[in-house]
Amino acid sequence: MSDILLEGRLDPRTIPLRILERLARFAIVLVALVLNDPGNLAPWLLVVGLSTGLSLLEYARTSYRLTPDALEIASGVLTRRVRRIPLDRVQDLGTEAT
């Protein structure tokens, strides 16, 4: 087994981003539900609650590990998937602030 150089999780700021991405996928359905019954908040609360819960689970179940040989990314809520990327395949680590 290789020595672990770095272990970590995703940045917590990814949680609201993932919630918004999920809500955007359901935007048409939510608009249709509101137009059908404007006073009923149950569908909104259900979708927001499920989106939030799934995003938190996804955050908790995603981690990374850097070894001298590879970057390993483990993710998955129901099934676990571990991706191993050899470091000699990594071409760029540049980041930009916009």
Side-chain angles (χ1 to χ4, degrees):
M1 186 87 185
S2 300
D3 294 330
I4 298 170
L5 301 176
L6 179 67
E7 266 187 309
R9 296 205 169 277
L10 296 175
D11 190 313
R13 292 176 290 186
T14 62
I15 298 170
L17 178 64
R18 290 182 188 241
I19 292 170
L20 291 174
E21 287 174 347
R22 282 192 174 83
L23 291 176
R25 289 185 204 145
F26 291 106
I28 294 172
V29 174
L30 289 173
V31 168
L33 289 170
V34 167
L35 293 176
N36 186 34
D37 188 5
N40 189 4
L41 292 178
W44 280 92
L45 294 175
L46 179 66
V47 171
V48 169
L50 287 174
S51 297
T52 302
L54 189 56
S55 296
L56 288 169
L57 273 173
E58 202 172 53
Y59 171 77
R61 297 281 295 162
T62 303
S63 61
Y64 62 87
R65 178 185 305 177
L66 181 63
T67 66
D69 306 325
L71 172 63
E72 298 170 357
I73 304 169
S75 62
V77 175
L78 296 177
T79 59
R80 199 76 170 144
R81 177 180 172 194
V82 178
R83 290 176 285 173
R84 187 174 190 281
I85 304 158
L87 290 183
D88 59 356
R89 301 290 297 169
V90 176
Q91 295 181 10
D92 186 20
L93 296 176
T95 58
E96 282 182 34
T98 57

